[in-house]
Amino acid sequence: MSPQVESFFEYLRFPSVSTDSTHKKNVENCADWLINRFDKMGLDATKHATPGHPVVVAGNAVKKDRPTVMIYGHYDVQPVDPVEEWKTPPFEPTLIDGRVFCRGATDNKGQNFAHILGVEETLKADGDLPVNVIFLLEGEEEIGSPNLAPFIKANRDLFAADICAVSDTGMIGPGIPTMTYGLRGIGCLEFVVKGPSLDLHSGVYGGAVANPAQVVARLVASLHDEKGRVQVPGFYDKVVPLEKWERDMWAALPDGDAATLAETGSPGTWGEDGYSSLERRWGRPTAEVNGIGGGYQGEGSKTVIPREAMAKLSFRLVPDQDPAEIISAAAKFLEEQIGDSCRIELDPGHDGPAYVMDPHSKFGKAAQAALKSTFNDDPKLIREGGSIPIIQDIKDILGIDTLMMGLALPDCQIHAPNENFTIENFEAGIRLNQNLLRELAKS
Ligand code: BES
Ligand code: MN
């Protein structure tokens, strides 16, 4: 195994699950490992404590005559559940047929480590970099980056950059260079519907008091009409429509409906009337149920009216929807349907706005040139449905755009069991970083 892959495996072995407090120390240890790694390659690295998990900042000596590139990534990962569906232990990186299986392999350790190694390679080869580089690696992306924007605001001088670069998005297929010029935003909202003060015999009381599980089902069903349009009042008021050039450009990509079916295994597509699968995924807002529960879930039947039931919702958002406005409109919409037969408790979660940049800007062109020389093909320009909440904050606080050149393949299974990253993309990522810094130095 090459020393680079060995080092990658060390990074992957930290179970840096940010959402789970039992892993707090593992997240911290992962940050320490990064600091060490940066030290070893001659960058100046600092670990910054936050009210949550630490932020790692590292860079070379600033020279005035070259541009400054900030490279953002995250070293935290999603939980591994359901653990029984993993074919290999989730935190023991395992190489099978050219793919590394491990939680975080693609999202995002593999992708940010490729940037780190690209810098290391260039330093080894040239003794210096063509740009000033500032790495910003956080441990809270998967929980909505609650402490990062305040950190950047308080430390603006550490991040005096001309442009930001991130590999935390996807490629539309193996070997197809892909530049992502937009992401959806997100707003989360969970709620509990409470009815009787205890679980009831459904024969004795059924039909005479509200059943919280039925109420949750009704609320969830009320989110969409039969055309797949979200019914929260005002939901579409600020939506910026897709432009003709993007709709045409995406229509020319390999069949998005077929890809959506193949990637998901779903029997059919579904969504807002009048839009293609790619448009629904990349450029239109949605309401999703991420979890729903209540009542008896065990074997056989149990005749019960549960005293409460719950659902976890998230809304994927597009420019210019305001996440806070959408969450409160949704909360009001749910509350107004409740009446007095039961109560609802609403708990807004994390949020972040959508982001769109001009792919034809000077730096956008540099990113495309780097992608082209890495993959020997013209890059495809896409937007994506996932969210990286800090990207719009970086624009608002530092005034700079972010170039998103992701390496995640459609079958890399991020957030799911058996997440994996191909060695091919790991190596391409190292070259991509080197090409990118060279192109940015020219622009
Ligand atoms: N890397 C993803 C975002 C992503 C995935 C962008 C695929 C484009 C394509 C990121 O780590 C992520 O999962 N973000 C979360 C953010 C949320 C927890 C605030 C998301 O999108 O659910
Ligand atoms: Mn993720």
Side-chain angles (χ1 to χ4, degrees), residues 74 76-78 106-108 141-143 168 387-388 414-415 419:
H74 62 94
D76 66 320
V77 300
Q78 287 271 328
T106 286
D107 187 9
N108 171 248
E141 194 272 347
E142 298 292 6
I143 50 172
D168 194 21
S387 309
I388 310 176
I414 57 173
H415 293 206
E419 176 175 354

Side-chain angles (χ1 to χ4, degrees), residues 26-44:
N26 296 321
V27 180
E28 181 92 31
N29 290 344
C30 189
D32 290 333
W33 183 88
L34 279 168
I35 297 282
N36 233 304
R37 196 66 185 69
F38 282 124
D39 280 346
K40 252 189 11 209
M41 58 194 259
L43 297 192
D44 187 15

Side-chain angles (χ1 to χ4, degrees), residues 44 117 153 159 245 256:
D44 187 15
L117 292 175
K153 263 186 208 148
F159 304 107
W245 66 269

Side-chain angles (χ1 to χ4, degrees), residues 74 107 141-142 168-170 180-187 278-284 286 288 314-319 350 352-356 382-392 404 414-415:
H74 62 94
D107 187 9
E141 194 272 347
E142 298 292 6
D168 194 21
T169 49
T180 295
Y181 64 92
L183 296 169
R184 287 194 291 193
I186 189 168
L278 295 182
E279 290 165 352
R280 288 169 176 170
R281 288 165 53 185
W282 298 345
R284 296 295 298 170
T286 66
E288 304 289 335
S314 62
F315 299 87
R316 291 289 167 167
L317 309 174
V318 300
H350 59 70
Y355 176 74
V356 174
I382 69 167
R383 279 160 62 175
E384 287 202 76
S387 309
I388 310 176
I390 202 65
I391 304 294
Q392 182 59 41
M404 294 180 280
I414 57 173
H415 293 206

Side-chain angles (χ1 to χ4, degrees), residues 142-439:
E142 298 292 6
I143 50 172
S145 305
N147 295 295
L148 192 56
F151 174 79
I152 297 174
K153 263 186 208 148
N155 295 278
R156 253 177 245 264
D157 48 323
L158 288 180
F159 304 107
D162 300 293
I163 187 73
C164 178
V166 175
S167 292
D168 194 21
T169 49
M171 290 167 68
I172 61 169
I176 305 177
T178 307
M179 174 171 171
T180 295
Y181 64 92
L183 296 169
R184 287 194 291 193
I186 189 168
C188 297
L189 175 65
E190 55 179 276
F191 63 90
V192 184
V193 171
K194 296 191 168 175
S197 53
L198 70 171
D199 282 5
L200 302 176
H201 187 292
S202 66
V204 176
Y205 297 105
V209 294
N211 179 324
Q214 288 170 219
V215 174
V216 167
R218 188 164 48 75
L219 292 179
V220 161
S222 76
L223 287 169
H224 297 92
D225 69 8
E226 69 290 349
K227 288 185 177 332
R229 299 258 309 172
V230 177
Q231 295 301 289
V232 174
F235 188 75
Y236 294 97
D237 285 1
K238 293 188 176 171
V239 168
V240 177
L242 283 164
E243 299 206 17
K244 184 172 182 310
W245 66 269
E246 345 184 54
R247 298 190 81 168
D248 291 347
M249 184 170 69
W250 298 348
L253 294 174
D255 184 4
D257 291 335
T260 302
L261 291 177
E263 289 161 24
T264 62
S266 293
T269 61
W270 176 87
E272 188 185 359
D273 247 24
Y275 294 93
S276 72
S277 290
L278 295 182
E279 290 165 352
R280 288 169 176 170
R281 288 165 53 185
W282 298 345
R284 296 295 298 170
T286 66
E288 304 289 335
V289 182
N290 304 127
I292 183 165
Y296 182 62
Q297 316 265 322
E299 195 182 335
S301 63
K302 178 171 192 263
T303 47
V304 66
I305 296 174
R307 53 189 281 270
E308 62 179 47
M310 55 68 68
K312 289 177 188 275
L313 309 179
S314 62
F315 299 87
R316 291 289 167 167
L317 309 174
V318 300
D320 288 330
Q321 287 176 299
D322 177 337
E325 271 175 30
I326 295 295
I327 293 175
S328 57
K332 186 159 172 257
F333 175 66
L334 297 172
E335 228 160 16
E336 281 175 358
Q337 298 181 59
I338 279 287
D340 14 289
S341 63
C342 51
R343 287 171 291 124
I344 185 167
E345 284 173 15
L346 292 144
D347 185 12
H350 59 70
D351 63 65
Y355 176 74
V356 174
M357 56 107 44
D358 172 13
H360 308 299
S361 66
K362 171 180 83 168
F363 290 129
K365 286 188 181 134
Q368 289 171 61
L371 282 164
K372 182 164 184 175
S373 52
T374 307
F375 292 96
N376 299 315
D377 204 353
D378 286 323
K380 304 290 186 201
L381 305 182
I382 69 167
R383 279 160 62 175
E384 287 202 76
S387 309
I388 310 176
I390 202 65
I391 304 294
Q392 182 59 41
D393 290 324
I394 288 174
K395 175 83 187 182
D396 293 340
I397 303 167
L398 302 173
I400 58 174
D401 272 312
T402 295
L403 306 169
M404 294 180 280
M405 295 146 300
L407 301 164
L409 292 176
D411 61 354
C412 64
Q413 305 195 190
I414 57 173
H415 293 206
N418 306 306
E419 176 175 354
N420 63 87
F421 193 42
T422 60
I423 291 287
E424 190 181 333
N425 276 16
F426 180 60
E427 288 170 350
I430 298 170
R431 295 196 308 275
L432 176 60
N433 169 277
Q434 297 180 279
N435 293 331
L436 176 69
L437 299 191
R438 196 175 318 117
E439 291 297 337

